[in-house]
Amino acid sequence: MTDFWLAAGLLLLVAFAFLLIPVLRGRKAQAEEDRTALNVALYQERIAELEGEHSAGVLSDAQLEAGRAEAARELLADTEGAEGNGVTRLGRAVPLLAALLVPLLGFGLYLHWGASDKVALTREFAQMPRSIEEMTARLEQAVKAQPDSPEAWYFLGRTYMTQERPTEAAGAFERAAALTGRQPEVLGQWAQALYFAGERRWTPELQALTDEALKGDPEEVTSLGLLGIAAFEEQRFKDAIGYWERLVAVLPAEDPSRAAIQGGIERARARLQEGGEAGADKPAAGQAGPALKVRVELAAALRDKVQAGDSVFVFARASSGPPMPLAVKRLRVADLPAEVELSDADAMMPQLKLSAFPEVQLVARVSRAGDATNGEWIGRSEPLASGTRELQQLSIDSPDE
């Protein structure tokens, strides 16, 4: 903002010059007028003296005329260089008042209609963020400065999703959908955020959003993937295969998620084959992926600070990669201590499997509100190989911050 205020100050000086120069010139004209008036008064006084002396017989007629001529020459000499035309002077108060009010009025109008906040925001976005939290703060500032920007709301929603804040992401996507005329891509992201915010429960609202998205774009990838996940969770394996096959068909050949989606299709076919249902015409590919065995317990110091019905989420996430859980199980505090097994079958999304990441971290979170992304107490393990077979011990012993 320094260069802006410097330019504004220079323009203000120019404005003051235009307003104050006439005042200064008026003062000079007044001085000239006062001097001329004094010279005229002296001339008249000299003529009166000469006429008095002539009446007293001191001066002759010739001397009287010579004196008058001499006084006239002195008057002309004294007034030489003075402006012949009269100068109309502004009152002093008007220019000074205008000099003060014009910049104040301009500043007020700029604050009302100007874009100083957007200039500052642009400068801030020109620098790379140092963390995801800083990027989130910038996007939150952007939607405050530009509440009608669908791009700002959309990217804020995407950032919330990477931080495992699906409830807030759903609100951002809802706003973006309203501003974009309910574009299919935004509807798909909105439905996905609502799905994870609602603890992976399928609802009529989600069905309506995905139906609307696919009606606008039959190849909308987020909706196809989400419908496949929901169908798989409800053991509608034929539907899951259908949605995922449509998704694979529209993804670019080099898309890294194709392999994960194909793995989901193979698992769905395997489930169909196990149940003896038609449509399981392809066998499951390969062997079962890794399974992490975890014993979860609650620290003794926290037993009086939790309730038996509080939710406990046990999940594995990549040590280096997306923050979304790769596999998750849900318990209650009353179930602790408990042993759980996390594998590809517990994946939240087909393209994010435990077997796809060589190193993971185990996390257990207590949440009274039943929110997998936020809670009161937490326990974390050190990074470990996803193929580890030994039983892991995980203690919930720290505040969730």
Side-chain angles (χ1 to χ4, degrees):
M1 293 293 289
T2 304
D3 53 353
F4 168 78
W5 290 116
L6 181 60
L10 292 175
L11 291 175
L12 183 59
L13 289 177
V14 174
F16 270 116
F18 277 106
L19 291 169
L20 295 180
I21 285 175
V23 175
L24 298 178
R25 286 181 176 176
R27 290 181 177 178
K28 181 179 179 181
Q30 179 65 39
E32 293 290 345
E33 183 178 342
D34 293 343
R35 192 182 74 170
T36 300
L38 178 60
N39 290 333
V40 171
L42 292 174
Y43 169 77
Q44 292 173 344
E45 183 178 347
R46 177 62 178 158
I47 294 298
E49 290 177 358
L50 291 172
E51 289 177 347
E53 292 177 357
H54 178 265
S55 300
V58 176
L59 296 178
S60 64
D61 292 341
Q63 290 174 328
L64 175 62
E65 291 300 325
R68 285 178 175 176
E70 179 67 21
R73 282 194 299 270
E74 291 178 357
L75 175 62
L76 290 174
D78 290 338
T79 58
E80 185 178 358
E83 295 182 2
N85 298 327
V87 178
T88 302
R89 297 182 291 107
L90 291 174
R92 295 181 181 179
V94 173
L96 291 175
L97 185 61
L100 293 174
L101 290 181
V102 167
L104 291 176
L105 179 61
F107 181 71
L109 293 175
Y110 179 77
L111 290 179
H112 182 72
W113 283 299
S116 58
D117 54 344
K118 296 180 178 62
V119 172
L121 191 63
T122 301
R123 291 181 179 274
E124 187 174 348
F125 268 86
Q127 302 177 358
M128 290 296 294
R130 290 168 291 184
S131 64
I132 188 66
E133 290 77 14
E134 184 177 341
M135 173 58 76
T136 304
R138 289 185 184 183
L139 288 170
E140 289 173 341
Q141 185 180 355
V143 298
K144 290 180 180 178
Q146 299 176 302
D148 294 330
S149 171
E151 294 83 5
W153 284 106
Y154 179 81
F155 286 113
L156 179 60
R158 294 292 297 269
T159 306
Y160 281 149
M161 287 297 290
T162 63
Q163 293 182 291
E164 301 180 42
R165 298 162 65 180
T167 301
E168 294 164 278
F173 286 131
E174 181 179 7
R175 179 63 176 158
L179 293 172
T180 58
R182 302 179 73 84
Q183 289 187 3
E185 178 184 0
V186 182
L187 293 176
Q189 294 288 345
W190 181 11
Q192 179 176 258
L194 286 174
Y195 179 72
F196 290 115
E199 300 181 10
R200 300 161 62 92
R201 289 192 299 268
W202 196 252
T203 64
E205 180 185 8
L206 295 177
Q207 188 66 50
L209 284 174
T210 51
D211 286 347
E212 182 181 352
L214 292 177
K215 183 178 179 181
D217 180 7
E219 297 179 351
E220 204 289 297
V221 294
T222 305
S223 297
L224 290 173
L226 183 61
L227 285 165
I229 295 173
F232 190 92
E233 292 288 334
E234 296 175 0
Q235 300 185 3
R236 294 183 288 109
F237 301 117
K238 284 184 180 180
D239 292 339
I241 292 170
Y243 289 125
W244 285 338
E245 285 183 339
R246 287 171 60 185
L247 178 56
V248 169
V250 300
L251 288 177
E254 65 277 7
D255 195 306
S257 63
R258 287 176 62 92
I261 298 169
Q262 191 62 50
I265 294 173
E266 297 300 336
R267 288 197 302 275
R269 287 199 175 106
R271 298 290 183 89
L272 282 175
Q273 195 174 46
E274 291 171 4
E277 297 184 31
D281 51 344
K282 293 186 180 180
Q287 298 180 350
L292 292 173
K293 296 180 180 180
V294 189
R295 176 179 172 82
V296 184
E297 61 183 12
L298 185 69
L302 301 182
R303 289 174 184 169
D304 296 334
K305 300 180 180 180
V306 297
Q307 299 178 4
D310 291 349
S311 297
V312 179
F313 296 93
V314 184
F315 55 90
R317 61 185 177 194
S319 297
S320 299
M324 297 293 291
L326 306 175
V328 62
K329 288 285 181 68
R330 182 173 183 173
L331 308 171
R332 296 181 306 156
V333 168
D335 300 326
L336 301 180
E339 290 187 12
V340 298
E341 185 175 283
L342 301 174
S343 66
D344 286 349
D346 304 305
M348 295 183 66
M349 301 182 69
Q351 61 267 38
L352 294 177
K353 297 190 301 180
L354 189 64
S355 58
F357 296 88
E359 190 176 74
V360 297
Q361 181 186 39
L362 297 173
V363 180
R365 171 179 283 126
V366 175
S367 173
R368 182 158 299 170
D371 186 352
T373 62
N374 291 287
E376 292 74 40
W377 306 99
I378 198 169
R380 300 181 180 91
S381 74
E382 295 296 326
L384 70 155
S386 59
T388 301
R389 299 298 181 184
E390 293 80 11
L391 179 67
Q392 303 297 309
Q393 302 290 333
L394 190 58
S395 176
I396 303 173
D397 54 9
S398 304
D400 189 6
E401 299 177 350

